[in-house]
Amino acid sequence: MPQAMTLAEKLVARAAGTETVRSGEVVTCRVDLAMMHDSGGPRRVAPMLATLGAKVWDPDRVVVISDHYVPAVDAESAGILDLTRKWVKGAGVARFHDMQGICHVVLPERGHLRPGLFVVGGDSHSPTGGAFGAYMFGVGATEMCGVLVTGEIWLRVPETIEIRWRGRLGPGVAAKDMILATCARLGMDGGRYQAVQYTGDVIASLPMQERMTLCNMAAELGAQAGLIAPDDVTKAYLLAAGVPEDAIDIAGWQGDADAAPAERHDFDASALPPMVAAPHSPANSAPAADHAGVAVDQAYIGACTGAKLNDLRMAASVLKGRRVAAGTRLLIAPASTRITAEAAADGTLATLTEAGAILLASGCGACAGYGAGILAEGETCIASTARNFKGRMGASSSKVYLGSPYTVAAAAIAGEIRDPREFLA
Amino acid sequence: MTAPLIAGRAWVFGDNIDTDVLAPGLYMKSPIRELASHCLESVDPRFATGVRPGDIVVGGRNFGMGSSREQAVMALRELGVGAVLARSFAGIFYRNALNLGLLALVCPDADKVAPQASLRLDPATAVLTDTSSGTSIACEPLPPHLLAMVADGGLLAHLEKKMKTGAHR
């Protein structure tokens, strides 16, 4: 009888070209897709490739997405974007998305992901791709250069840490609250650079964009990858994104029923309130009500974590017919230009702007302190982003709280943190 | 290839030192020298100006959590840091450190190192000695092939060697 394998083991075994792998074993994998952005991509790898006199092993397996320094605001950022465009042309990389949105959102949106792929990304939030049943993880630029030259990368076959969510999410409670609660219980290194897999009836009920939020913040658990076994919801998303039906294998990318995870953590969605992470760690999370009354200068809905169409709709459901409080600013940077178009078409954007939201360009923006919307000394922000490390969004004395788009929108209206359910009729 | 001994003072930090304090986003567009001058400033403003070549950074749990930005490693290297020792490392930072030729060793007893202690580290054995007290701490040694890659200066140098022999395919 063949050895039972987890989904993570199956994905790694396929890429390693072997029948079976066991967690802990070190293997070399063939890379199906390498994704880079403007900050850690061509700007960093081009000089390394030049030093080596090497070319990209397979330009058709590379996707480049400019999202960090967009749009250019000074000579440095303009230069980085220009270098990226020129490199892509010279290297023969056809899959290039220039200022179309944030890489982790654009990658699936444009049909580049599917179950079974082994993908490296030059960004720490690369586990987002695991929401589609792909094994995707983040690497630094030097390691990316190694992939570009050889088409291979080594890794230690991960153990699987199962995060099982059962019950039912209440109104005004979202995937962001689930992952903040998970960070609080497991801590910022609870993922131990292994594979986190989300399971349970709650996961099955979530749309893809919410699943992406969970896998995205597997990074905040310190996991290498965040996985969700693909199902019909996955398939419907991918078909809509233009992936051919015969390229979508759902049944083949399920963990074996008798492959036990190394750890399992059970959570009850029915008892989960809206959560808020206080400065300076996502693990510093507690019910939003515990932070009620904390005044905010800025509310920010943005980033790969918290500005997908679903996220904008959550914010709109709170903001509809209301106004942003005097003395508070609400900045919204939709995660992709396609999302902006969709939100314009369904009326979501109008709801946001009528409430007084200021729309920003699609990109990583203020989340990592690169773009528009950074904070002054002593300011307080609540954001739908993934990280609230000290100084990340600007001045080192600024404070960032994290919450769901519902919670961020509620804070924008109230001028202070509140439980968003107060605003949902 | 034998790695030379590393000698310097200890700069001791706590748990969860993140990549944003190592390489702040505000300065990510800047040349590495400028970026490095802000390394760790929000947790210890004296570090970037006070650190000397060979000094050893000692962290707690989950050192280097957060971003995949290699500048977090490059900033430490630019400042001349000889090695980073921590009770545990975040996965991407750990790989980045070794790939860029910065010695990163898991050291379960890292919390026993006193700030500014005079240290000597043998990369091959991973034995850390406090030169004033003479006491030693055992860190976890790297496997020889990774130690060799670090001694070569990282993955790029390693690839250069491999490409010269045509062994990269």
Side-chain angles (χ1 to χ4, degrees):
Chain A
M1 189 179 144
Q3 170 202 328
M5 289 197 289
T6 62
L7 173 57
E9 287 170 337
K10 286 187 182 183
L11 290 163
V12 171
R14 207 277 306 162
T18 61
E19 286 289 311
T20 57
V21 293
R22 278 181 195 285
S23 61
E25 180 185 349
V26 173
V27 294
T28 297
C29 291
R30 298 295 300 173
V31 171
D32 296 309
L33 197 66
M35 183 200 74
M36 297 185 279
H37 54 55
D38 52 329
S39 184
R43 158 201 192 200
R44 298 284 331 286
V45 299
M48 299 185 209
L49 290 170
T51 301
L52 295 170
K55 283 194 162 43
V56 173
W57 100 105
D58 185 351
D60 293 339
R61 292 190 182 277
V62 177
V63 178
V64 176
I65 300 172
S66 285
D67 59 6
H68 274 59
Y69 293 110
V70 301
V73 293
D74 53 20
E76 289 81 11
S77 49
I80 291 167
L81 294 175
D82 182 53
L83 181 156
T84 306
R85 292 179 193 115
K86 286 175 176 156
W87 184 85
V88 160
K89 213 172 199 178
V93 172
R95 293 197 267 180
F96 174 46
H97 304 285
D98 191 6
M99 304 182 28
Q100 300 296 297
I102 306 172
C103 59
H104 306 298
V105 173
V106 170
L107 197 68
E109 180 185 274
R110 304 302 171 102
H112 299 308
L113 289 180
R114 65 201 61 178
L117 290 186
F118 185 89
V119 189
V120 297
D123 190 273
S124 61
H125 284 113
S126 295
T128 313
F132 298 86
Y135 197 89
M136 185 164 177
F137 60 105
V139 299
T142 300
E143 193 128 55
M144 180 61 79
C145 177
V147 170
L148 293 178
V149 173
T150 65
E152 295 178 346
I153 191 166
W154 69 267
L155 84 168
R156 183 184 287 237
V157 180
E159 295 173 4
T160 292
I161 299 172
E162 183 179 347
I163 309 287
R164 186 166 62 180
W165 279 91
R166 292 188 287 195
R168 199 168 151 202
L169 288 175
V173 185
K176 182 60 170 289
D177 302 303
M178 295 165 66
I179 190 64
L180 290 179
T182 311
C183 288
R185 193 192 298 177
L186 271 69
M188 296 297 287
D189 57 356
R192 301 187 286 109
Y193 202 49
Q194 307 299 314
V196 160
Q197 184 171 350
Y198 303 97
T199 66
D201 49 1
V202 181
I203 307 302
S205 73
L206 291 176
M208 285 314 301
Q209 295 182 346
E210 285 282 86
R211 296 182 186 186
M212 288 164 71
T213 302
L214 295 176
C215 292
N216 175 277
M217 287 189 63
E220 277 52 62
L221 295 169
Q224 182 176 54
L227 292 169
I228 292 175
D231 59 13
D232 289 342
V233 175
T234 322
K235 186 170 182 175
Y237 178 104
L238 293 174
L239 287 173
V243 179
E245 183 157 17
D246 61 6
I248 306 171
D249 178 5
I250 302 299
W253 298 112
Q254 307 292 323
D256 292 326
D258 47 350
E263 296 173 29
R264 179 184 286 134
H265 302 272
D266 276 303
F267 289 84
D268 177 11
S270 305
L272 182 70
M275 299 289 287
V276 163
H280 299 285
S281 169
N284 199 11
S285 292
D290 290 6
H291 297 290
V294 171
V296 300
D297 301 293
Q298 175 168 306
Y300 183 79
I301 292 176
C304 50
T305 316
K308 303 176 290 307
L309 185 59
N310 268 42
D311 299 312
L312 302 188
R313 285 176 177 160
M314 286 181 217
S317 71
V318 171
L319 292 166
K320 193 165 183 57
R322 297 192 169 95
R323 290 289 302 174
V324 172
T328 298
R329 52 191 190 263
L330 171 60
L331 308 184
I332 301 183
S336 76
T337 52
R338 189 171 288 182
I339 288 168
T340 306
E342 288 166 348
D346 75 3
T348 301
L349 273 196
T351 302
L352 302 175
T353 53
E354 280 162 19
I358 297 156
L359 280 186
L360 300 176
S362 291
C364 303
C367 170
Y370 288 58
I374 62 173
L375 303 169
E377 294 290 350
E379 283 195 320
T380 298
C381 176
I382 183 164
S384 65
T385 59
R387 290 186 184 138
N388 56 347
F389 299 155
K390 198 171 185 210
R392 177 171 166 91
M393 281 186 79
S396 63
S397 64
S398 61
K399 290 182 182 153
V400 180
Y401 291 78
L402 303 176
S404 77
Y406 291 121
T407 306
V408 175
I413 292 165
E416 60 183 42
I417 295 175
R418 294 273 192 88
D419 186 320
R421 292 175 297 189
E422 294 172 32
F423 300 91
L424 293 166
Chain B
M1 178 162 199
T2 52
L5 292 180
I6 294 162
R9 294 164 304 155
W11 292 84
V12 178
F13 298 91
D15 293 342
N16 293 315
I17 290 296
D18 66 73
T19 49
D20 289 73
V21 300
L22 288 161
L26 278 179
Y27 309 102
M28 279 287 286
K29 282 180 294 196
S30 311
I32 189 64
R33 180 161 300 191
E34 161 77 6
L35 177 64
S37 72
H38 299 282
C39 181
L40 290 164
E41 71 181 357
S42 66
V43 286
D44 184 352
R46 299 160 307 160
F47 175 73
T49 48
V51 69
R52 293 198 297 255
D55 282 359
I56 294 173
V57 167
V58 181
R61 276 173 49 179
N62 203 25
F63 190 94
M65 74 169 177
S67 163
S68 62
R69 63 186 73 163
E70 283 188 331
Q71 285 88 341
V73 174
M74 291 161 70
L76 293 172
R77 226 183 39 172
E78 175 71 19
L79 295 171
V81 168
V84 183
L85 313 177
R87 293 177 67 191
S88 67
F89 288 93
I92 303 177
F93 179 91
Y94 182 70
R95 290 183 74 130
N96 284 346
L98 302 182
N99 283 331
L100 288 166
L102 176 66
L103 187 64
L105 296 178
V106 174
C107 190
D109 292 330
D111 54 341
K112 293 185 180 147
V113 179
Q116 299 299 317
S118 287
L119 302 175
R120 192 176 63 233
L121 174 68
D122 181 345
T125 60
V127 171
L128 180 73
T129 307
D130 184 321
T131 53
S132 12
S133 68
T135 54
S136 285
I137 289 172
C139 304
E140 296 176 7
L142 284 180
H145 71 283
L146 284 180
L147 192 61
M149 183 176 85
V150 170
D152 281 351
L155 179 62
L156 200 59
H158 186 66
L159 277 175
E160 266 186 290
K161 265 190 187 171
K162 274 183 143 178
M163 290 190 68
K164 275 183 195 153
T165 60
H168 67 293
R169 287 284 159 95

